Amino acid sequence: MYPDIVHGWAIPERHLAEGAFLWARLENIVRSSRHTLEDAVEQEQRLRAHIDGLLIGGHAVATRLLKPALEEEDAPLVATAATVLLLQEAQVAVVLGLLREGTEFQHQSLRKALERCEREDLEARLAVLPASLPDSARAAVLEVQALRGWDAGAALLPALKSESPEVTAAALRAARATPTRVEPRMIHTLLDSPSLEVRDAALALGVALGSRSALRRCQQLVAQQAPGSRRAMEWLALSGEPSDLEALLALTRIPALRCDAVWALGFSGRVSVAEAALAWMRDEDLRFARLASEAFSAITGLELEGVYRRELAEEEADIPLEAEDLDADLTPSPEEDLPAADADRVAAWWAEARKRFDAQGRYLRGKPFSAPVLQEALRQEPMRRRHVLAQEALVRSRGTQRLEARTPALQQQLALARPWTFREADVRAPLKHFLGQE
């Protein structure tokens, strides 16, 4: 036990505060346009040091600091406290009890702790939780089971039929661990859900399970210029079909959809997209120009640093105090961290580099697409891009390479240390090659 507990609790309080700070920082890294998996591993190690520091305090720290922290309206603080409590046998029931009796906010925060929990018996403990949990708790448990690839058991089918979109979407994600429990017609019905979250989860499950209906639904959503169709655009960018690429290129002319379209096109790996991005980099919409720069770099491998990075003038004038929204979230978005390319210098570089690229090929950071290149990208790409690449790896490996981009970074790093091999025919085949006939 801490010798200084008697003298003011300074050390455990600092461990808890620093742990919560690092947890919040880790959440930002996971969606970052600058940080990589290695950065996430470093943050996790620092976080773990503070968790270990709190564990030393045992029951006294659990009672004085951690249990009260579960009642705070601070998600990283709740997640940090819950993580430590879950590692103490005498306190596990306290945390899991909040799934029955806690608030929606607590359920969302506890989910983060459960996703990282190292208890070997956690899968079994979650499996026996009552079916009468509140919807927000049911969704949290299903999300944990989905992330960790655990069987949701008998709770899965009722959750797929839930009236709560949050529960249904979580169940669709959990179904990937045990796809034989789900009838294809149930997925087909949910492809038309009015809930974007449910529809996107159904699209992902459908494509992963080889459903042509899911890919056709992606094509319909893009053809209809449907709002909120970013996930559908991502799948079409990976499809390898010229008609799908043309449909996405057309969306870059639709103001409400152009940013999502150029984001998706960055995963296509196509030379034609890189060349279109040269013009998009000059767009007066800075967000669009940045996304175009990101897409060009992702395809060609040009690092947008030094002379290739555009020096930006002051982007916003000072806002008068009376007009400022004091409640606004001032956290920069990942896209605000993206560099904008110096279009003239990049065009000059491309004029020389273009000869190294095959117009019919597909590229990732300037390298012809392959299983080793995809694996290396999952190690080195900015964190915000990795979930799309992980989806592609799952499909092209026919389910053998399942990497969840939100799992602890050290686990991902270890999984990526083992060489990947896909069948040669599956490396560059169109997405429809992996789908059934229905």
Side-chain angles (χ1 to χ4, degrees), residues 265-282:
L265 284 163
F267 294 95
S268 70
R270 303 301 174 180
V271 171
S272 59
V273 173
E275 295 188 321
L278 291 172
W280 299 335
M281 291 173 191
R282 303 177 187 276

Side-chain angles (χ1 to χ4, degrees), residues 258-307:
R258 67 200 305 244
C259 285
D260 285 344
V262 74
W263 154 262
L265 284 163
F267 294 95
S268 70
R270 303 301 174 180
V271 171
S272 59
V273 173
E275 295 188 321
L278 291 172
W280 299 335
M281 291 173 191
R282 303 177 187 276
D283 199 276
E284 62 183 16
D285 179 344
L286 184 57
R287 181 185 175 215
F288 185 68
R290 280 175 161 155
L291 287 163
S293 303
E294 178 187 39
F296 183 89
S297 181
I299 295 168
T300 67
L302 177 64
E303 293 291 333
L304 299 179
E305 299 295 342
V307 297

Side-chain angles (χ1 to χ4, degrees), residues 71-312:
E71 305 299 324
E72 297 291 334
E73 293 291 317
D74 182 332
L77 184 67
V78 174
T80 304
T83 297
V84 181
L85 292 170
L86 284 166
L87 293 173
Q88 301 179 52
E89 187 64 37
Q91 308 297 340
V92 178
V94 172
V95 178
L96 296 184
L98 285 176
L99 291 172
R100 293 188 294 271
E101 303 164 2
T103 65
E104 182 176 346
F105 177 83
Q106 286 174 318
H107 298 156
Q108 293 170 346
S109 303
L110 292 179
R111 189 198 90 200
K112 300 178 186 299
L114 291 167
E115 287 175 347
R116 293 180 170 273
C117 180
E118 298 173 5
R119 294 193 64 88
E120 293 183 358
D121 63 348
L122 183 63
E123 181 178 6
R125 285 179 179 268
L126 294 183
V128 298
L129 288 171
S132 58
L133 291 176
D135 283 344
S136 56
R138 290 174 70 199
V141 171
L142 286 163
E143 293 286 8
V144 173
Q145 292 167 326
L147 189 71
R148 305 188 70 157
W150 292 342
D151 187 349
L156 183 64
L157 288 182
L160 287 169
K161 300 174 183 176
S162 171
E163 294 183 1
S164 164
E166 180 185 22
V167 172
T168 302
L172 284 163
R173 287 187 276 270
R176 280 195 284 181
T178 52
T180 55
R181 291 184 183 274
V182 186
E183 295 181 13
R185 62 181 178 83
M186 186 176 292
I187 301 175
H188 298 166
T189 300
L190 295 173
L191 291 172
D192 294 319
S193 171
S195 163
L196 294 181
E197 185 181 14
V198 171
R199 188 188 72 196
D200 285 349
L203 289 173
L205 179 61
V207 175
L209 297 185
S211 167
R212 283 187 181 268
S213 296
L215 187 59
R216 282 197 297 269
R217 184 63 178 134
C218 292
Q219 292 166 334
Q220 291 169 0
L221 291 167
V222 167
Q224 295 164 1
Q225 300 177 8
S229 53
R230 179 167 170 147
R231 294 291 176 255
M233 295 181 200
E234 290 170 357
W235 283 115
L236 291 198
L238 302 178
S239 80
E241 296 293 339
S243 58
D244 291 335
L245 194 64
E246 288 300 320
L248 292 175
L249 287 167
L251 293 187
T252 63
R253 298 188 287 273
I254 309 298
L257 301 175
R258 67 200 305 244
C259 285
D260 285 344
V262 74
W263 154 262
L265 284 163
F267 294 95
S268 70
R270 303 301 174 180
V271 171
S272 59
V273 173
E275 295 188 321
L278 291 172
W280 299 335
M281 291 173 191
R282 303 177 187 276
D283 199 276
E284 62 183 16
D285 179 344
L286 184 57
R287 181 185 175 215
F288 185 68
R290 280 175 161 155
L291 287 163
S293 303
E294 178 187 39
F296 183 89
S297 181
I299 295 168
T300 67
L302 177 64
E303 293 291 333
L304 299 179
E305 299 295 342
V307 297
Y308 299 114
R309 182 169 185 155
R310 186 164 119 207
E311 292 297 328
L312 298 173

Side-chain angles (χ1 to χ4, degrees), residues 13 16 26 38 75 95 156 162 174 229 238 282 317 329 335 342 351 376:
E13 286 176 350
L16 183 56
L26 190 56
E38 186 175 349
V95 178
L156 183 64
S162 171
S229 53
L238 302 178
R282 303 177 187 276
D329 182 2
E335 290 170 3
D342 183 312
E376 180 64 17

